[in-house]
Amino acid sequence: MRSPRSLRKNDRGATMLEFSLVAFPILLLLMGTFEMGFIYWGTKELENATGTGARFVRIGQAQQDNWSSSDLKAEICRRTSILYDCPTRLRIDVVSAASFAAFAPVEPLDDSGNLKSDASFSFSPGGRNDVVLVRTFYPWTRLWGSRHLLRAAAPVRNEPF
Protein backbone atom coordinates (compact mmCIF):
# COMPACT_ATOMS: atom_id res chain seq x y z
CA MET A 1 0.00 0.00 0.00
CA ARG A 2 1.32 3.41 -0.95
CA SER A 3 1.47 6.24 1.47
CA PRO A 4 -0.59 9.42 0.83
CA ARG A 5 2.64 11.39 0.50
CA SER A 6 3.81 9.26 -2.45
CA LEU A 7 0.40 9.60 -4.17
CA ARG A 8 0.67 13.39 -4.07
CA LYS A 9 3.81 13.25 -6.17
CA ASN A 10 2.36 10.78 -8.70
CA ASP A 11 0.73 12.70 -11.60
CA ARG A 12 0.11 9.73 -13.90
CA GLY A 13 -3.43 9.94 -15.34
CA ALA A 14 -3.84 13.66 -14.65
CA THR A 15 -4.15 14.45 -18.35
CA MET A 16 -6.81 11.80 -18.80
CA LEU A 17 -8.76 13.17 -15.84
CA GLU A 18 -8.55 16.74 -17.14
CA PHE A 19 -9.65 15.64 -20.61
CA SER A 20 -12.64 13.78 -19.21
CA LEU A 21 -13.74 16.91 -17.35
CA VAL A 22 -13.41 19.17 -20.41
CA ALA A 23 -14.46 16.80 -23.24
CA PHE A 24 -18.18 16.57 -22.46
CA PRO A 25 -18.89 20.34 -22.49
CA ILE A 26 -16.81 20.78 -25.65
CA LEU A 27 -18.59 17.93 -27.45
CA LEU A 28 -21.96 19.25 -26.30
CA LEU A 29 -21.09 22.72 -27.62
CA LEU A 30 -19.87 21.23 -30.91
CA MET A 31 -23.05 19.16 -31.38
CA GLY A 32 -25.20 22.21 -30.58
CA THR A 33 -23.32 24.27 -33.15
CA PHE A 34 -23.86 21.64 -35.82
CA GLU A 35 -27.55 21.32 -34.90
CA MET A 36 -28.12 25.08 -35.13
CA GLY A 37 -26.34 25.12 -38.48
CA PHE A 38 -28.52 22.32 -39.83
CA ILE A 39 -31.71 24.01 -38.61
CA TYR A 40 -30.63 27.28 -40.22
CA TRP A 41 -29.78 25.46 -43.46
CA GLY A 42 -33.12 23.63 -43.48
CA THR A 43 -35.03 26.83 -42.77
CA LYS A 44 -33.31 28.73 -45.57
CA GLU A 45 -33.91 25.88 -48.00
CA LEU A 46 -37.59 25.73 -47.02
CA GLU A 47 -37.96 29.52 -47.38
CA ASN A 48 -36.33 29.53 -50.82
CA ALA A 49 -38.35 26.55 -52.05
CA THR A 50 -41.58 28.08 -50.71
CA GLY A 51 -40.82 31.31 -52.54
CA THR A 52 -40.29 29.38 -55.75
CA GLY A 53 -43.53 27.47 -55.23
CA ALA A 54 -45.37 30.74 -54.60
CA ARG A 55 -43.93 32.04 -57.87
CA PHE A 56 -45.62 29.19 -59.77
CA VAL A 57 -48.91 30.27 -58.18
CA ARG A 58 -48.27 33.97 -58.82
CA ILE A 59 -47.57 33.59 -62.54
CA GLY A 60 -50.57 31.29 -63.00
CA GLN A 61 -48.75 28.09 -63.93
CA ALA A 62 -50.33 26.17 -61.04
CA GLN A 63 -53.80 27.33 -62.05
CA GLN A 64 -53.43 26.82 -65.80
CA ASP A 65 -51.94 23.34 -65.42
CA ASN A 66 -54.55 22.40 -62.76
CA TRP A 67 -51.97 21.60 -60.10
CA SER A 68 -53.09 19.91 -56.95
CA SER A 69 -51.57 20.31 -53.52
CA SER A 70 -49.32 17.29 -54.14
CA ASP A 71 -48.04 18.79 -57.42
CA LEU A 72 -46.99 21.98 -55.66
CA LYS A 73 -45.51 19.97 -52.81
CA ALA A 74 -43.46 17.92 -55.29
CA GLU A 75 -42.19 21.11 -56.91
CA ILE A 76 -41.18 22.56 -53.55
CA CYS A 77 -39.51 19.32 -52.42
CA ARG A 78 -37.58 19.09 -55.67
CA ARG A 79 -35.74 22.25 -54.64
CA THR A 80 -34.59 20.98 -51.24
CA SER A 81 -31.76 18.64 -50.36
CA ILE A 82 -31.49 18.57 -46.56
CA LEU A 83 -35.19 18.03 -45.80
CA TYR A 84 -35.35 14.28 -45.32
CA ASP A 85 -38.43 12.51 -46.73
CA CYS A 86 -39.83 15.84 -47.86
CA PRO A 87 -42.84 14.65 -49.90
CA THR A 88 -44.17 12.68 -46.93
CA ARG A 89 -43.40 15.10 -44.12
CA LEU A 90 -43.94 18.52 -45.71
CA ARG A 91 -47.34 20.21 -45.32
CA ILE A 92 -48.44 23.12 -47.49
CA ASP A 93 -51.27 25.56 -46.98
CA VAL A 94 -52.29 27.78 -49.91
CA VAL A 95 -55.07 30.30 -49.30
CA SER A 96 -56.33 33.19 -51.39
CA ALA A 97 -58.17 36.33 -50.38
CA ALA A 98 -59.08 39.78 -51.61
CA SER A 99 -56.48 41.55 -49.43
CA PHE A 100 -53.45 40.77 -47.30
CA ALA A 101 -55.36 41.71 -44.14
CA ALA A 102 -57.90 38.93 -44.71
CA PHE A 103 -55.49 36.09 -43.87
CA ALA A 104 -55.92 34.32 -40.54
CA PRO A 105 -53.07 32.38 -38.95
CA VAL A 106 -53.28 28.62 -39.30
CA GLU A 107 -52.40 26.25 -36.46
CA PRO A 108 -50.35 23.43 -38.01
CA LEU A 109 -50.20 21.27 -34.87
CA ASP A 110 -52.96 19.15 -33.39
CA ASP A 111 -53.82 18.97 -29.68
CA SER A 112 -51.05 16.46 -28.97
CA GLY A 113 -48.37 18.58 -30.66
CA ASN A 114 -48.04 16.57 -33.87
CA LEU A 115 -48.20 18.05 -37.35
CA LYS A 116 -51.69 17.77 -38.82
CA SER A 117 -52.36 15.67 -41.91
CA ASP A 118 -52.43 17.01 -45.47
CA ALA A 119 -56.24 17.02 -45.43
CA SER A 120 -56.23 19.63 -42.64
CA PHE A 121 -54.65 22.25 -44.89
CA SER A 122 -56.30 24.07 -47.77
CA PHE A 123 -55.22 24.52 -51.37
CA SER A 124 -56.79 27.54 -53.03
CA PRO A 125 -54.32 29.22 -55.44
CA GLY A 126 -56.87 31.86 -56.45
CA GLY A 127 -57.40 33.60 -59.74
CA ARG A 128 -56.24 36.77 -61.47
CA ASN A 129 -55.05 39.57 -59.19
CA ASP A 130 -55.94 37.60 -56.03
CA VAL A 131 -53.74 37.79 -52.98
CA VAL A 132 -52.34 34.35 -52.12
CA LEU A 133 -50.42 33.15 -49.08
CA VAL A 134 -48.33 30.00 -49.47
CA ARG A 135 -47.24 28.51 -46.13
CA THR A 136 -45.12 25.42 -45.61
CA PHE A 137 -44.45 23.38 -42.47
CA TYR A 138 -41.79 20.72 -41.97
CA PRO A 139 -41.18 18.73 -38.74
CA TRP A 140 -37.42 18.78 -38.22
CA THR A 141 -36.02 15.96 -36.06
CA ARG A 142 -33.11 17.14 -33.96
CA LEU A 143 -29.94 15.12 -33.33
CA TRP A 144 -31.14 14.10 -29.86
CA GLY A 145 -34.59 13.07 -31.09
CA SER A 146 -36.85 16.00 -30.22
CA ARG A 147 -38.79 17.86 -32.90
CA HIS A 148 -38.66 21.43 -34.16
CA LEU A 149 -41.19 22.83 -36.64
CA LEU A 150 -39.69 24.67 -39.60
CA ARG A 151 -42.06 27.22 -41.14
CA ALA A 152 -41.98 29.41 -44.21
CA ALA A 153 -44.50 31.74 -45.81
CA ALA A 154 -44.63 33.62 -49.08
CA PRO A 155 -47.40 36.19 -49.67
CA VAL A 156 -47.93 37.10 -53.33
CA ARG A 157 -50.44 38.86 -55.57
CA ASN A 158 -51.33 36.84 -58.65
CA GLU A 159 -50.54 38.35 -61.99
CA PRO A 160 -53.32 38.95 -64.53
CA PHE A 161 -52.56 35.71 -66.36
Side-chain angles (χ1 to χ4, degrees):
M1 181 102 181
R2 296 178 129 179
S3 69
R5 179 175 282 182
S6 68
L7 289 176
R8 245 186 291 154
K9 294 179 182 180
N10 186 357
D11 61 355
R12 289 181 52 206
T15 304
M16 185 171 58
L17 178 66
E18 291 170 357
F19 177 76
S20 67
L21 292 173
V22 174
F24 181 71
I26 287 176
L27 289 175
L28 192 63
L29 182 65
L30 187 64
M31 283 179 53
T33 303
F34 278 120
E35 182 64 31
M36 291 304 298
F38 284 133
I39 288 175
Y40 180 74
W41 180 9
T43 301
K44 293 313 284 180
E45 258 193 6
L46 185 61
E47 287 174 355
N48 290 336
T50 301
T52 302
R55 181 179 174 275
F56 288 120
V57 172
R58 187 185 77 217
I59 64 173
Q61 182 174 349
Q63 293 88 332
Q64 291 171 355
D65 293 344
N66 292 324
W67 281 11
S68 66
S69 175
S70 59
D71 294 328
L72 184 60
K73 183 190 290 192
E75 198 61 44
I76 290 172
C77 288
R78 197 170 66 81
R79 287 167 167 64
T80 63
S81 61
I82 195 170
L83 302 181
Y84 173 75
D85 198 20
C86 180
T88 306
R89 300 175 77 184
L90 183 72
R91 303 292 185 264
I92 62 171
D93 184 53
V94 180
V95 291
S96 60
S99 69
F100 287 107
F103 293 121
V106 65
E107 181 54 46
L109 303 176
D110 61 13
D111 293 335
S112 59
N114 296 320
L115 191 60
K116 292 180 182 176
S117 67
D118 279 330
S120 301
F121 298 99
S122 61
F123 184 75
S124 174
R128 296 178 177 182
N129 297 322
D130 281 347
V131 175
V132 179
L133 179 61
V134 178
R135 293 178 272 210
T136 55
F137 307 97
Y138 179 83
W140 180 270
T141 304
R142 293 183 176 158
L143 291 175
W144 50 86
S146 64
R147 294 238 169 152
H148 177 79
L149 186 64
L150 303 182
R151 302 172 184 227
V156 295
R157 180 177 295 277
N158 286 348
E159 294 178 359
F161 43 83

